[in-house]
Amino acid sequence: MSSVTDISTRQVWDLLEEVTDPEVPVLSILDLGIVRDVKVENTTVNVVITPTYSGCPAMDVISMSIRMQLLSHGFKEVNITQVLSPAWTTDWMTEAGKEKLRAYGIAPPNPTQQVCKMELFVDDEAVQCPHCNSWNTRRISEFGSTACKSLFQCNDCYEPFDYFKCH
Amino acid sequence: MQTLINYTLYLADNALILAQRNAEWCGHGPILEQDIALTNISLDLLGQSRSFYQYAAQLINAEHPSAMPATEDSLAYLRDVFAFRNILMNELPNGDWGQTVLRQFFFSAYQFPLFERMKHSSDATLAAIAEKSLKEVTYHLRWSSEWVIRLGDGTEESHSRMEKALDELWTYTGEIFEPAPYEKAAVEAGFGVDATSLKDAWMERVSNILQEATLTVPAPRWMQTGGKEGKHSEHLGFVLAEMQFLQRAYPNATW
Ligand SMILES: [Zn+2]
């Protein structure tokens, strides 16, 4: 039996699905895996989010968007809390989100077991070109257009592309 | 409580001042990809400093309730030179690309074992910030290590520039492991990391990378200290003058 609170909690999650990442607008914040908890009490909502990177400038915009979205759908008070632990990981990105990234031309993150090793000068991950699907690609730079991405180039179709790097 | 505030501000100031220095490279990097890389690192450091400042502000307001509560912005923009606790190395002018990269390497090689330990701090907020930051620092350390090797073991020109940078910066590395009174108190209180205990790990990593870069670890020498206790070089004032200008000239201005 579902209570009123269950229904409105589900309603909040549905509304949050419509809030997108300002830097990768094809991804919802749920695809990104940064919404950690939602609690509803009458007309008050508490939303817990976690940043992708400490300095991600999108977080402030995302908080604002969450607030606007919920206020405009009848909630009277919206509290947004940021938590840092457990730290966000690309494992929390949904499979649907990864597909959306690929279709958008950004290579989605690989499973994280390969990440963040300290060995130097190694391409520690094989990354698939989102344009022609070739695995014959190389990393141009560890850091791309935003903190969450690195820059790759395809050796087959020569297109450069962003890779949403493992974290 | 005051110990926790001081210790948190020390961690925040280190990150903020280096973020500000690295950001000076924005639009001036040797190639676009590396310009972007360094400014990404700068942004990570800025984010870390925000987490620490937010926590410090919360602690300060709990301890000293005021009509003008402290905020992350007031701590960054409205304190003067003597209130900053960052190590001297982080406020030094950038020098050339090699010197900037080498400083980043020295600092990341410190932050890495620091946060590995702080992840287990008895203070839950410090532990959470450390856990989050460690993932970022891993990238910084790998990137800066590679560049130290690439330049040290590069051309004659790049090698000699790295030698010069090493000589310039080495005098400032000792301060990292020379604990300030609030660091000692933080260790005693159980939430801080003993800076002296990080020295061996730092030295081992630095020696290995320098060796691979065909650079020689400098002989022990007299080391500069003072930044941790607010005794700064003339350089910090210039950093703050630029960073704080807007809030000083137009108080409470927002975007
Ligand atoms: Zn391709």
Side-chain angles (χ1 to χ4, degrees):
Chain A
M1 201 177 73
S2 62
S3 68
V4 176
T5 309
D6 286 341
I7 293 168
S8 47
T9 304
R10 200 174 332 132
Q11 191 195 348
V12 171
W13 283 102
D14 288 345
L15 290 170
L16 293 179
E17 178 63 42
E18 293 166 19
V19 177
T20 55
D21 176 346
E23 285 174 1
V24 190
V26 290
L27 287 187
S28 81
I29 56 174
L30 300 189
D31 291 328
L32 207 50
I34 60 173
V35 180
R36 307 311 301 159
D37 196 21
V38 171
K39 283 205 172 68
V40 181
E41 279 170 48
N42 302 319
T43 54
T44 302
V45 197
N46 296 295
V47 180
V48 179
I49 57 174
T50 190
T52 51
Y53 283 72
S54 300
C56 180
M59 290 312 289
D60 292 338
V61 180
I62 288 172
S63 293
M64 182 75 79
S65 306
I66 292 174
R67 192 176 301 283
M68 298 304 286
Q69 170 79 340
L70 296 176
L71 290 176
S72 67
H73 284 83
F75 292 95
K76 297 277 184 281
E77 198 185 331
V78 178
N79 303 314
I80 299 165
T81 320
Q82 268 202 33
V83 293
L84 294 178
S85 179
W88 178 81
T89 154
T90 37
D91 285 348
W92 295 348
M93 190 180 286
T94 62
E95 286 307 313
K98 290 179 185 173
E99 274 317 305
K100 290 183 202 169
L101 272 183
R102 201 191 316 275
Y104 190 59
I106 297 175
N110 285 327
T112 38
Q113 53 266 30
Q114 329 179 36
V115 83
C116 275
K117 285 177 298 195
M118 270 310 300
E119 282 103 304
L120 308 177
F121 300 110
V122 287
D123 280 340
D124 57 358
E125 302 173 87
V127 174
Q128 191 177 21
C129 171
H131 304 295
C132 74
N133 295 328
S134 165
W135 287 93
N136 181 19
T137 62
R138 66 195 172 90
R139 188 177 74 201
I140 295 174
S141 175
E142 188 108 78
F143 300 88
S145 55
T146 61
C148 53
K149 302 192 216 91
S150 51
L151 194 59
F152 274 69
Q153 185 172 21
C154 178
N155 294 327
D156 286 333
C157 74
Y158 300 114
E159 283 290 326
F161 62 91
D162 271 337
Y163 166 55
F164 204 111
K165 67 191 176 199
C166 290
H167 201 64
Chain B
M1 182 68 99
Q2 197 55 47
T3 298
L4 182 54
I5 293 171
N6 288 339
Y7 189 67
T8 305
L9 284 173
Y10 161 66
L11 297 166
D13 292 343
N14 265 349
L16 178 66
I17 298 303
L18 188 54
Q20 186 71 13
R21 278 301 190 195
N22 284 343
E24 289 173 17
W25 277 101
C26 188
H28 302 276
I31 50 170
L32 181 61
E33 286 79 6
Q34 299 312 324
D35 185 304
I36 293 171
L38 190 63
T39 39
N40 263 295
I41 291 173
S42 172
L43 194 57
D44 284 341
L45 289 168
L46 183 69
Q48 292 167 16
S49 77
R50 286 189 64 184
S51 295
F52 287 124
Y53 284 130
Q54 285 164 8
Y55 185 40
Q58 187 190 321
L59 295 167
I60 290 168
N61 295 332
E63 185 82 344
H64 315 282
S66 153
M68 296 267 288
T71 64
E72 55 176 317
D73 285 340
S74 73
L75 292 172
Y77 294 131
L78 302 178
R79 286 181 307 145
D80 216 335
V81 168
F82 304 109
F84 275 78
R85 294 167 171 79
N86 60 280
I87 52 173
L88 298 171
M89 182 176 80
N90 291 9
E91 72 200 42
L92 295 178
N94 286 334
D96 59 15
W97 176 254
Q99 188 173 325
T100 300
V101 159
L102 185 63
R103 170 172 59 188
Q104 185 60 51
F105 168 63
F106 285 159
F107 189 65
S108 296
Y110 160 57
Q111 275 198 321
F112 188 77
L114 173 72
F115 290 154
E116 267 186 327
R117 301 272 292 278
M118 198 182 290
K119 229 169 46 166
H120 309 291
S121 168
S122 61
D123 185 276
T125 306
L126 290 185
I129 300 172
E131 179 194 345
K132 179 78 200 160
S133 306
L134 185 59
K135 292 180 133 194
E136 296 154 4
V137 171
T138 307
Y139 277 112
H140 306 170
L141 184 53
R142 190 165 73 177
W143 178 86
S144 58
S145 301
E146 287 180 359
W147 269 99
V148 169
I149 295 168
R150 197 177 274 129
L151 293 172
D153 191 17
T155 64
E156 212 172 294
E157 164 94 19
S158 72
H159 179 84
S160 75
R161 282 178 181 239
M162 288 308 276
E163 276 184 327
K164 187 167 159 280
L166 183 57
D167 188 48
E168 179 79 25
L169 292 176
W170 193 253
T171 310
Y172 295 90
T173 56
E175 185 181 10
I176 299 171
F177 310 106
E178 203 60 60
Y182 54 80
E183 283 182 283
K184 288 183 188 157
V187 174
E188 271 165 38
F191 57 77
V193 175
D194 181 1
T196 54
S197 73
L198 303 174
K199 190 172 182 179
D200 288 349
W202 184 88
M203 192 55 103
E204 190 187 337
R205 184 180 301 277
V206 166
S207 306
N208 288 340
I209 297 295
L210 290 183
Q211 192 181 357
E212 212 173 318
T214 70
L215 295 164
T216 312
V217 178
R221 59 166 87 159
W222 177 81
M223 292 286 183
Q224 281 280 8
T225 56
K228 287 180 174 182
E229 292 181 75
K231 289 178 229 131
H232 290 280
S233 67
E234 70 274 26
H235 305 297
L236 184 61
F238 291 96
V239 174
L240 298 188
E242 183 169 297
M243 187 179 78
Q244 298 182 333
F245 168 79
L246 197 103
Q247 281 303 320
R248 301 281 195 185
Y250 305 96
N252 304 318
T254 56
W255 292 103

